[in-house]
């Protein structure tokens, strides 16, 4: 216990660890905040911003009080790097917002469209002309949490289909399912079946 209270240990280990931890938390919050701002989340983003800046002030305050300690600078930079990674990871796991999925296929897409519509996805199909001839173009606006389910079935029905995914900032009208739990249970069941 005396080693922990030792001023050298506090200066070179404890304070840098606290600075690193503070940076991990504030940068993770900042990454989430930026993503939420881009998606138009007007309530949650400012709350995250408040805590982000408060924690940042504590971290930078410690660095400024100990300007001669190189460990603080390294901890600050390391916390920033790890915080970016964790923020992006958390955002992917939360799967906030809606996305548009565009599918381009040379093959008949009617089975895929029927399957998706039977599973309460809204799908618009258009015949179009690509660089190699006639194609079917499908559009669907879905919750981000539903993308794994949809991607598996796009590949199941049209293995060579080309598809893109983009964030959608605002959606008005349309048909959306009430809850995501059904999709998550279907997806987890599908994954379990594939593993067997």
């Amino acid at each position: 216990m005396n080693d922990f209270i030792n001023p050298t240990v506090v200066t070179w280990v404890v304070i840098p660890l606290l600075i690193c931890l503070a940076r991990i938390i504030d940068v993770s919050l900042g990454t989430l905040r930026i993503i939420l701002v881009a998606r138009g989340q007007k309530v949650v983003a400012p709350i995250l911003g408040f805590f982000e800046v408060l924690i940042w002030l504590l971290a930078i305050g410690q660095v400024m009080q100990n300007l001669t300690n190189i460990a603080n600078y390294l901890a600050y930079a390391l916390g920033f790097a790890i915080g970016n990674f964790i923020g992006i990871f958390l955002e992917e796991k939360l799967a906030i917002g809606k996305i548009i999925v565009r599918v381009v296929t040379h093959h008949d897409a009617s089975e895929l469209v029927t399957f998706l519509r039977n599973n309460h996805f809204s799908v618009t199909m258009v015949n179009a002309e690509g660089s190699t001839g006639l194609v079917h173009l499908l559009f669907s606006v879905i919750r981000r949490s539903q993308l794994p389910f949809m991607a598996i079935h796009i590949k199941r029905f049209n293995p060579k289909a080309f598809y893109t995914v983009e964030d959608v900032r605002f959606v008005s009208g349309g048909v959306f399912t009430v809850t995501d739990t059904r999709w998550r249970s279907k997806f987890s069941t599908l994954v379990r079946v594939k593993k067997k």
Side-chain angles (χ1 to χ4, degrees):
M1 186 70 179
N2 288 337
D3 288 341
F4 189 74
I5 300 173
N6 183 321
T8 305
V9 173
V10 170
T11 301
W12 290 97
V13 177
V14 176
I15 291 176
L17 280 175
L18 292 174
I19 290 170
C20 184
L21 181 63
R23 283 303 282 162
I24 289 170
I25 294 168
D26 95 80
V27 174
S28 297
L29 290 175
T31 304
L32 283 174
R33 179 186 53 78
I34 290 167
I35 291 166
L36 292 173
V37 165
R39 297 212 173 112
Q41 299 285 330
K42 297 175 187 172
V43 177
V44 180
I47 294 169
L48 289 178
F50 172 82
F51 289 106
E52 172 195 354
V53 169
L54 184 64
I55 294 167
W56 177 82
L57 286 171
L58 294 172
I60 197 68
Q62 285 302 313
V63 172
M64 297 305 274
Q65 287 177 11
N66 301 289
L67 288 173
T68 58
N69 188 347
I70 190 78
N72 291 347
Y73 295 108
L74 296 174
Y76 190 86
L78 180 64
F80 181 82
I82 295 171
N84 275 295
F85 177 79
I86 291 174
I88 292 168
F89 176 78
L90 287 174
E91 191 276 333
E92 287 174 355
K93 290 298 176 190
L94 291 173
I96 299 166
K98 293 186 174 53
I99 55 175
I100 185 167
V101 179
R102 289 184 187 91
V103 182
V104 180
T105 178
H106 291 282
H107 302 291
D108 181 29
S110 57
E111 284 186 45
L112 173 61
V113 170
T114 301
F115 174 82
L116 292 174
R117 287 179 178 162
N118 287 342
N119 282 279
H120 307 286
F121 285 95
S122 295
V123 181
T124 300
M125 185 168 83
V126 178
N127 292 324
E129 188 174 336
S131 60
T132 58
L134 294 177
V135 294
H136 301 284
L137 184 58
L138 310 177
F139 296 92
S140 187
V141 177
I142 62 172
R143 291 182 181 91
R144 287 189 70 223
S145 59
Q146 296 170 323
L147 180 60
F149 179 83
M150 182 176 264
I152 283 174
H153 293 292
I154 290 170
K155 291 297 180 189
R156 181 169 74 109
F157 286 100
N158 295 69
K160 294 184 179 178
F162 169 77
Y163 69 95
T164 61
V165 178
E166 293 178 40
D167 283 327
V168 174
R169 183 177 166 90
F170 177 75
V171 175
S172 176
V175 179
F176 295 96
T177 55
V178 176
T179 179
D180 279 348
T181 55
R182 193 169 79 179
W183 303 112
R184 289 185 182 149
S185 67
K186 278 188 177 185
F187 178 66
S188 61
T189 302
L190 185 64
V191 170
R192 281 196 300 271
V193 169
K194 280 194 152 198
K195 284 182 181 175
K196 291 178 183 178

